Amino acid sequence: MGLKINTALPRKKWGKCALAALMLLSGVGCLSSGAQFLPFKYNDGIAAKYVNKQDAAFRSKAATLAAGAFDLTGVLPAGYVKDGTVDYTSYLQTGMDQHKTVVFPDFPVLINDKGLTVGSGATIIFKQGSRLLLQPTSKDTYEMLRVHNVQNVNIYCPVLEGDRKGHQGNTGQWGMGIAIRASKNVNVYAPQVSNCWGDGIYIGGLKGVTSSGISIYNAWLNYNRRNGMSVSSVDGLKLVRPVISNTYGQAPMCGIDIEPNNNTDVVNNVMMDSPVTLNNAKHGINISLFRLIGPSPKDVNVTIRNHQDDGSAVAFAMGGLKPHYDVPPMAGTIEIIDPVWKNNQERAFRSYKPNGYAPTVKFTKVSVLKTDRNGRDKPDAEKFMLMKKTIASESKMSIQD
């Protein structure tokens, strides 16, 4: 896909102090202080093994639509630059407000921390060479592309790079690349989002209104600081063939984190088809539902097919809840079908117990592997048995061959 990331990671090895700091982070949010993770090491080449080959169809469609779209180059000031060094946020927003279907310039464009707001009925197209760069900011919250309270939106091939390298502060964790909140019928095709202070993509609600009918195809999310993708509230999410790698910096540090904020949120009709999570500092995929429990009954249904994880500390995680609540358990089913989890530093599956108030969780045809010195994948019997033992210890979890 041609995504190049400047990570600016230090070359020297971490010492005991860095390891202790990382272990402290593992106690934040959904993570258990008992979980120990090895120091993170950025892997620049691992994602190349899992390149999406279906992007050409989306780019072809984008090129066809671009022919009839308003070119946002037309709203830039006279003498505009093409090197991404001048802030053109207000010009781009004016063009997006005046035209439903727009195409971004085929060169890097700088925007500030106000971000760009997408309207209902919009079709946003990025050409080959189009790229949004975020001007370094001290704010702990930003949204580069804001999709709030809108419907019927299509975004083709967006390329966004956050300000992680030059961020001017040390606090916060909410700098998002694409933020979809309280929106309906939104399709995002082949997004590439990197270096965000928070999440590459965030999907959630606003003021008790959830998002619904969200589809994201062939996402490539790399080296975002908090999560590659966060899902806090959605009824109807289709996530197809994402590749999410090198998530590191601020807990939870997951490739995909399904984690509601409160009892008014919704996690239902979520389908992931062939997600790939690579070398994420904590979890490849994490489902943490403790904030969803409350007086409003919840039905949680999530299906994950053909998940591949390579090198994340933990491939898949669940939990953790309190032993008792004064409300009934959540209904619904979480299904993990045909996953392949390999080279996990800590373990393939972790349950942050107890999970008695969670929905039923079913694992089917799980493969746990490790790559030998000759590059061949072989069964990892030790981690496989640990996974089975963990699942057997949970009353609402089961595994089938």
Side-chain angles (χ1 to χ4, degrees), residues 360-374:
T360 299
V361 184
K362 299 179 180 179
F363 297 85
T364 305
K365 296 182 180 179
V366 180
S367 297
V368 179
L369 309 175
K370 57 183 175 182
T371 305
D372 66 17
R373 294 180 179 179
N374 297 315

PDB file of all heavy atoms in Angstrom, residues 360-374:
ATOM      1  N   THR A 360     -22.022 -14.877  26.474  1.00  0.00           N
ATOM      2  CA  THR A 360     -21.388 -16.149  26.169  1.00  0.00           C
ATOM      3  C   THR A 360     -20.275 -15.940  25.152  1.00  0.00           C
ATOM      4  O   THR A 360     -20.431 -15.178  24.192  1.00  0.00           O
ATOM      5  CB  THR A 360     -22.429 -17.131  25.596  1.00  0.00           C
ATOM      6  OG1 THR A 360     -23.442 -17.337  26.578  1.00  0.00           O
ATOM      7  CG2 THR A 360     -21.781 -18.452  25.220  1.00  0.00           C
ATOM      8  N   VAL A 361     -19.150 -16.597  25.361  1.00  0.00           N
ATOM      9  CA  VAL A 361     -18.002 -16.472  24.454  1.00  0.00           C
ATOM     10  C   VAL A 361     -17.661 -17.846  23.894  1.00  0.00           C
ATOM     11  O   VAL A 361     -17.417 -18.789  24.661  1.00  0.00           O
ATOM     12  CB  VAL A 361     -16.774 -15.870  25.176  1.00  0.00           C
ATOM     13  CG1 VAL A 361     -15.633 -15.669  24.184  1.00  0.00           C
ATOM     14  CG2 VAL A 361     -17.142 -14.545  25.848  1.00  0.00           C
ATOM     15  N   LYS A 362     -17.636 -17.964  22.563  1.00  0.00           N
ATOM     16  CA  LYS A 362     -17.368 -19.237  21.912  1.00  0.00           C
ATOM     17  C   LYS A 362     -16.140 -19.127  21.017  1.00  0.00           C
ATOM     18  O   LYS A 362     -16.065 -18.239  20.162  1.00  0.00           O
ATOM     19  CB  LYS A 362     -18.571 -19.660  21.070  1.00  0.00           C
ATOM     20  CG  LYS A 362     -19.849 -19.872  21.860  1.00  0.00           C
ATOM     21  CD  LYS A 362     -20.995 -20.273  20.939  1.00  0.00           C
ATOM     22  CE  LYS A 362     -22.284 -20.494  21.720  1.00  0.00           C
ATOM     23  NZ  LYS A 362     -23.416 -20.857  20.815  1.00  0.00           N
ATOM     24  N   PHE A 363     -15.194 -20.024  21.213  1.00  0.00           N
ATOM     25  CA  PHE A 363     -13.998 -20.111  20.375  1.00  0.00           C
ATOM     26  C   PHE A 363     -14.119 -21.358  19.501  1.00  0.00           C
ATOM     27  O   PHE A 363     -14.462 -22.434  19.997  1.00  0.00           O
ATOM     28  CB  PHE A 363     -12.740 -20.214  21.224  1.00  0.00           C
ATOM     29  CG  PHE A 363     -12.472 -19.018  22.099  1.00  0.00           C
ATOM     30  CD1 PHE A 363     -13.074 -18.910  23.348  1.00  0.00           C
ATOM     31  CD2 PHE A 363     -11.610 -18.015  21.693  1.00  0.00           C
ATOM     32  CE1 PHE A 363     -12.831 -17.818  24.166  1.00  0.00           C
ATOM     33  CE2 PHE A 363     -11.362 -16.921  22.500  1.00  0.00           C
ATOM     34  CZ  PHE A 363     -11.965 -16.824  23.745  1.00  0.00           C
ATOM     35  N   THR A 364     -13.801 -21.226  18.209  1.00  0.00           N
ATOM     36  CA  THR A 364     -13.894 -22.357  17.288  1.00  0.00           C
ATOM     37  C   THR A 364     -12.636 -22.430  16.424  1.00  0.00           C
ATOM     38  O   THR A 364     -12.228 -21.432  15.828  1.00  0.00           O
ATOM     39  CB  THR A 364     -15.125 -22.225  16.372  1.00  0.00           C
ATOM     40  OG1 THR A 364     -16.301 -22.077  17.176  1.00  0.00           O
ATOM     41  CG2 THR A 364     -15.282 -23.452  15.492  1.00  0.00           C
ATOM     42  N   LYS A 365     -12.026 -23.623  16.376  1.00  0.00           N
ATOM     43  CA  LYS A 365     -10.881 -23.910  15.505  1.00  0.00           C
ATOM     44  C   LYS A 365      -9.759 -22.895  15.684  1.00  0.00           C
ATOM     45  O   LYS A 365      -9.343 -22.217  14.735  1.00  0.00           O
ATOM     46  CB  LYS A 365     -11.318 -23.963  14.039  1.00  0.00           C
ATOM     47  CG  LYS A 365     -12.281 -25.103  13.742  1.00  0.00           C
ATOM     48  CD  LYS A 365     -12.647 -25.144  12.259  1.00  0.00           C
ATOM     49  CE  LYS A 365     -13.601 -26.291  11.966  1.00  0.00           C
ATOM     50  NZ  LYS A 365     -13.995 -26.343  10.542  1.00  0.00           N
ATOM     51  N   VAL A 366      -9.255 -22.814  16.892  1.00  0.00           N
ATOM     52  CA  VAL A 366      -8.178 -21.878  17.204  1.00  0.00           C
ATOM     53  C   VAL A 366      -6.826 -22.507  16.883  1.00  0.00           C
ATOM     54  O   VAL A 366      -6.556 -23.649  17.273  1.00  0.00           O
ATOM     55  CB  VAL A 366      -8.226 -21.475  18.686  1.00  0.00           C
ATOM     56  CG1 VAL A 366      -7.098 -20.490  18.999  1.00  0.00           C
ATOM     57  CG2 VAL A 366      -9.583 -20.878  19.042  1.00  0.00           C
ATOM     58  N   SER A 367      -5.970 -21.766  16.198  1.00  0.00           N
ATOM     59  CA  SER A 367      -4.590 -22.197  15.945  1.00  0.00           C
ATOM     60  C   SER A 367      -3.640 -21.277  16.691  1.00  0.00           C
ATOM     61  O   SER A 367      -3.726 -20.048  16.567  1.00  0.00           O
ATOM     62  CB  SER A 367      -4.268 -22.157  14.444  1.00  0.00           C
ATOM     63  OG  SER A 367      -5.084 -23.050  13.717  1.00  0.00           O
ATOM     64  N   VAL A 368      -2.742 -21.871  17.474  1.00  0.00           N
ATOM     65  CA  VAL A 368      -1.720 -21.109  18.189  1.00  0.00           C
ATOM     66  C   VAL A 368      -0.364 -21.594  17.686  1.00  0.00           C
ATOM     67  O   VAL A 368      -0.022 -22.771  17.830  1.00  0.00           O
ATOM     68  CB  VAL A 368      -1.840 -21.306  19.716  1.00  0.00           C
ATOM     69  CG1 VAL A 368      -0.745 -20.528  20.437  1.00  0.00           C
ATOM     70  CG2 VAL A 368      -3.231 -20.871  20.196  1.00  0.00           C
ATOM     71  N   LEU A 369       0.405 -20.688  17.096  1.00  0.00           N
ATOM     72  CA  LEU A 369       1.620 -21.065  16.385  1.00  0.00           C
ATOM     73  C   LEU A 369       2.816 -20.249  16.849  1.00  0.00           C
ATOM     74  O   LEU A 369       2.683 -19.217  17.509  1.00  0.00           O
ATOM     75  CB  LEU A 369       1.434 -20.858  14.873  1.00  0.00           C
ATOM     76  CG  LEU A 369       0.197 -21.471  14.205  1.00  0.00           C
ATOM     77  CD1 LEU A 369       0.135 -21.062  12.744  1.00  0.00           C
ATOM     78  CD2 LEU A 369       0.215 -22.986  14.337  1.00  0.00           C
ATOM     79  N   LYS A 370       3.993 -20.742  16.454  1.00  0.00           N
ATOM     80  CA  LYS A 370       5.211 -19.962  16.608  1.00  0.00           C
ATOM     81  C   LYS A 370       6.075 -20.210  15.372  1.00  0.00           C
ATOM     82  O   LYS A 370       6.042 -21.283  14.769  1.00  0.00           O
ATOM     83  CB  LYS A 370       5.962 -20.358  17.877  1.00  0.00           C
ATOM     84  CG  LYS A 370       6.336 -21.824  17.986  1.00  0.00           C
ATOM     85  CD  LYS A 370       7.006 -22.112  19.322  1.00  0.00           C
ATOM     86  CE  LYS A 370       7.295 -23.616  19.501  1.00  0.00           C
ATOM     87  NZ  LYS A 370       7.895 -23.898  20.818  1.00  0.00           N
ATOM     88  N   THR A 371       6.831 -19.199  14.998  1.00  0.00           N
ATOM     89  CA  THR A 371       7.674 -19.284  13.811  1.00  0.00           C
ATOM     90  C   THR A 371       9.076 -19.706  14.224  1.00  0.00           C
ATOM     91  O   THR A 371       9.690 -19.077  15.100  1.00  0.00           O
ATOM     92  CB  THR A 371       7.720 -17.932  13.082  1.00  0.00           C
ATOM     93  OG1 THR A 371       6.379 -17.517  12.793  1.00  0.00           O
ATOM     94  CG2 THR A 371       8.501 -18.043  11.782  1.00  0.00           C
ATOM     95  N   ASP A 372       9.596 -20.763  13.590  1.00  0.00           N
ATOM     96  CA  ASP A 372      10.927 -21.232  13.963  1.00  0.00           C
ATOM     97  C   ASP A 372      12.009 -20.447  13.229  1.00  0.00           C
ATOM     98  O   ASP A 372      11.720 -19.512  12.464  1.00  0.00           O
ATOM     99  CB  ASP A 372      11.062 -22.744  13.712  1.00  0.00           C
ATOM    100  CG  ASP A 372      11.005 -23.130  12.233  1.00  0.00           C
ATOM    101  OD1 ASP A 372      11.179 -22.249  11.360  1.00  0.00           O
ATOM    102  OD2 ASP A 372      10.791 -24.333  11.947  1.00  0.00           O
ATOM    103  N   ARG A 373      13.249 -20.823  13.460  1.00  0.00           N
ATOM    104  CA  ARG A 373      14.372 -20.071  12.886  1.00  0.00           C
ATOM    105  C   ARG A 373      14.411 -20.126  11.367  1.00  0.00           C
ATOM    106  O   ARG A 373      15.023 -19.280  10.716  1.00  0.00           O
ATOM    107  CB  ARG A 373      15.691 -20.608  13.451  1.00  0.00           C
ATOM    108  CG  ARG A 373      15.855 -20.358  14.948  1.00  0.00           C
ATOM    109  CD  ARG A 373      17.177 -20.897  15.453  1.00  0.00           C
ATOM    110  NE  ARG A 373      17.359 -20.640  16.870  1.00  0.00           N
ATOM    111  CZ  ARG A 373      18.428 -21.024  17.564  1.00  0.00           C
ATOM    112  NH1 ARG A 373      19.415 -21.694  16.939  1.00  0.00           N
ATOM    113  NH2 ARG A 373      18.521 -20.746  18.851  1.00  0.00           N
ATOM    114  N   ASN A 374      13.764 -21.125  10.793  1.00  0.00           N
ATOM    115  CA  ASN A 374      13.728 -21.262   9.343  1.00  0.00           C
ATOM    116  C   ASN A 374      12.511 -20.583   8.721  1.00  0.00           C
ATOM    117  O   ASN A 374      12.255 -20.734   7.521  1.00  0.00           O
ATOM    118  CB  ASN A 374      13.747 -22.743   8.954  1.00  0.00           C
ATOM    119  CG  ASN A 374      15.018 -23.434   9.398  1.00  0.00           C
ATOM    120  OD1 ASN A 374      16.116 -22.899   9.218  1.00  0.00           O
ATOM    121  ND2 ASN A 374      14.883 -24.622   9.993  1.00  0.00           N
TER     122      ASN A 374
END
